[in-house]
Amino acid sequence: MKKKTKQKVKRTEVRERDKKMNSNFEYYRIFYYVAKYGNLTKAASALQTSQPAVTRTIHKLEAELGCRLFIRSKSGMELTPEGKTFYEYVSAGCAQFFRGEQKITNLMSVDEGSITISATETALHCCLFQAIEAFRKIHPKVRFKILNNSSQKSIEVLKKGQVDMAMISSIPFAIEDPLIKHTVHSYTDILIAGRKYRNLKGRMMTLGELCHYPWVSLTSDTITRIFLDSYFAKRGLPFEPAVEFATTDLLLPAIEHNLGIGFLPPEFVKEAMMSGNVFQIEILDEMPDRSVSLVYDLEYPQSIASTVFRKFVLGRCTLGENRTQ
C-alpha cells in the first residue's frame, strides 16, 4: 500500500511540475513581449489578447518571483534592474523557441524542404536528372539527396521509410499496397558499337548474325541482364557477354573502347553518338519497350516538398514531356 501511495504522490508531483512549467512559459512569453515593446497595448496586440490579461499575468509573475519587473512611466513599461537581468535570460530562451518554430515551418514549406530519392542509373539518366533540373528552376532552395541503388534495393529502402520515393527501372515483381507505382518514362534500348565494328554501320542485322560478336552487359543479378537473357532465350539464342559490369555507367566507356557491342537506353548515348565515338546497329528483331516508374509508400507521411515534386514529375508525364506507356 505504501508503495502505491508513493507512486501516486510522485505522479501528482510530476503533473503539478508540468503544469507549473507550462504556466511559467506562458508568463515568460508575455513578459518578453511587454519588455520588447515597452508597452502593454502593443504587447497585447502581438499576443492577440487583452491588455488587462497581460497586466494580470505580469502581476502574477512578479508575485511568483518576489520582485518588481516593470515600472510604469509616461513612456510606457520600463524594466527594473531585476527585470533587465531576467529579460537577458528570457529573451535568449524565447529566441531559441521562435527559431525552432520557424525551422519547423520552413521544413513544412516547399522552398525550404528536402527530398530523398533512391534511383537506378537508368532512371537517373532517362528522366530524374531532367526532372530535378526543371523543378529547381521553380524551387531553387529545395535540397535533393539521391541514392544510387538497384530497383530491388530502392524498394527495400522505400519500405523502411529511408527515402521519400524511388525511381526504378522495369521490375520483375509486383508492386503491392501500400506502395503506389506510376510509369513516368518509356524507352527502347538501342544496340551500339564502337569504331572497331564500323563494318556493321548502315547494315540491317539479325541477333542471330550478331551472336558471334563480343557483347558487353551487366552482371546476371541485375534487372537489365535478366531482361536480356529472357529476350535472347525467347529467340533460341545464347547470350554470353564477353565482359560484364556491375553498373550501367560503365557500359558506354567499354563500348567506346571496343570491348564489345551492347544495348543501352538512347539517353545514355546521345553525346557519344553525336561525337562519332559510337554508332547504332540497326537490327531486324523488335526490342520491347521498357519503363521507368515512380514509386512511393502511402503509409509514410510525405513532406510538402516531396509531395509537390512527385506531382511535378507526374505532371510532366501528363504534358508529354516524358514519353509514357
Side-chain angles (χ1 to χ4, degrees):
M1 289 295 290
K2 288 183 179 180
K3 187 176 181 181
K4 289 184 178 179
T5 302
K6 288 181 179 180
Q7 290 176 341
K8 185 175 181 181
V9 171
K10 188 174 182 180
R11 285 197 296 269
T12 302
E13 289 175 350
V14 170
R15 284 197 298 269
E16 289 299 320
R17 186 179 69 239
D18 290 345
K19 183 178 179 181
K20 190 173 188 299
M21 287 176 65
N22 292 337
S23 175
N24 283 349
F25 177 70
E26 185 61 23
Y27 289 177
Y28 299 160
R29 193 167 73 95
I30 291 172
F31 165 79
Y32 169 80
Y33 278 101
V34 174
K36 178 181 178 181
Y37 291 111
N39 184 285
L40 291 171
T41 302
K42 290 181 179 179
S45 177
L47 292 162
Q48 297 184 337
T49 187
S50 66
Q51 181 178 325
V54 172
T55 302
R56 284 195 300 271
T57 299
I58 294 299
H59 288 163
K60 288 179 180 178
L61 181 58
E62 290 177 329
E64 283 192 6
L65 295 174
C67 66
R68 292 195 66 180
L69 298 172
F70 293 98
I71 297 174
R72 189 185 292 271
S73 67
K74 291 181 180 180
S75 60
M77 301 290 286
E78 294 183 4
L79 287 167
T80 64
E82 294 83 1
K84 290 179 181 178
T85 299
F86 191 54
Y87 180 71
E88 289 180 12
Y89 291 94
V90 171
S91 60
C94 284
Q96 289 287 4
F97 280 116
F98 297 153
R99 277 197 290 269
E101 289 177 349
Q102 186 61 50
K103 183 64 175 179
I104 292 299
T105 300
N106 289 343
L107 289 175
M108 293 301 291
S109 70
V110 177
D111 291 328
E112 294 294 333
S114 62
I115 305 169
T116 303
I117 305 171
S118 182
T120 63
E121 290 175 75
T122 299
L124 280 168
H125 289 277
C126 286
C127 56
L128 185 54
F129 282 142
Q130 298 91 317
I132 293 176
E133 180 183 16
F135 186 77
R136 283 179 58 82
K137 289 179 181 178
I138 306 170
H139 304 287
K141 292 184 179 181
V142 173
R143 300 180 302 279
F144 284 88
K145 181 178 180 180
I146 309 300
L147 307 181
N148 185 200
N149 290 315
S150 66
S151 294
Q152 184 75 51
K153 181 66 175 178
S154 293
I155 295 300
E156 288 176 9
V157 296
L158 179 63
K159 287 182 176 179
K160 292 177 181 178
Q162 296 174 355
V163 297
D164 295 306
M165 64 189 76
M167 198 81 90
I168 59 177
S169 310
S170 302
I171 51 178
F173 50 86
I175 295 294
E176 300 175 347
D177 290 341
L179 299 185
I180 301 296
K181 182 186 77 156
H182 295 281
T183 297
V184 294
H185 182 76
S186 291
Y187 65 96
T188 305
D189 287 311
I190 61 174
L191 182 60
I192 62 170
R195 291 188 175 95
K196 179 180 178 180
Y197 304 101
R198 55 183 174 272
N199 61 303
L200 299 175
K201 191 173 184 178
R203 296 169 55 186
M204 185 67 71
M205 308 289 290
T206 66
L207 286 179
E209 293 173 319
L210 294 168
C211 275
H212 66 278
Y213 282 88
W215 287 79
V216 297
S217 184
L218 296 180
T219 53
S220 59
D221 58 337
T222 60
I223 300 298
T224 295
R225 179 59 181 278
I226 293 171
F227 168 79
L228 289 174
D229 284 344
S230 174
Y231 178 69
F232 275 76
K234 287 178 180 178
R235 287 156 181 76
L237 298 172
F239 185 62
E240 299 174 348
V243 185
E244 298 181 354
F245 295 96
T247 57
T248 306
D249 61 322
L250 296 176
L251 294 179
L252 179 58
I255 294 171
E256 288 180 312
H257 284 85
N258 302 304
L259 300 187
I261 63 176
F263 284 104
L264 275 170
E267 288 81 0
F268 275 75
V269 299
K270 285 180 181 178
E271 292 185 9
M273 289 183 67
M274 289 178 63
S275 67
N277 289 339
V278 299
F279 63 92
Q280 181 177 355
I281 300 175
E282 301 290 342
I283 58 173
L284 289 169
D285 303 79
E286 184 179 358
M287 285 292 291
D289 283 343
R290 302 179 66 194
S291 63
V292 172
S293 297
L294 173 66
V295 186
Y296 59 96
D297 192 336
L298 284 176
E299 285 191 345
Y300 286 95
Q302 298 284 307
S303 67
I304 291 178
S306 175
T307 301
V308 171
F309 179 69
R310 186 180 74 237
K311 291 180 179 178
F312 176 81
V313 173
L314 297 178
R316 282 166 60 86
C317 299
T318 303
L319 292 172
E321 294 189 40
N322 284 316
R323 196 160 48 90
T324 58
Q325 289 181 335

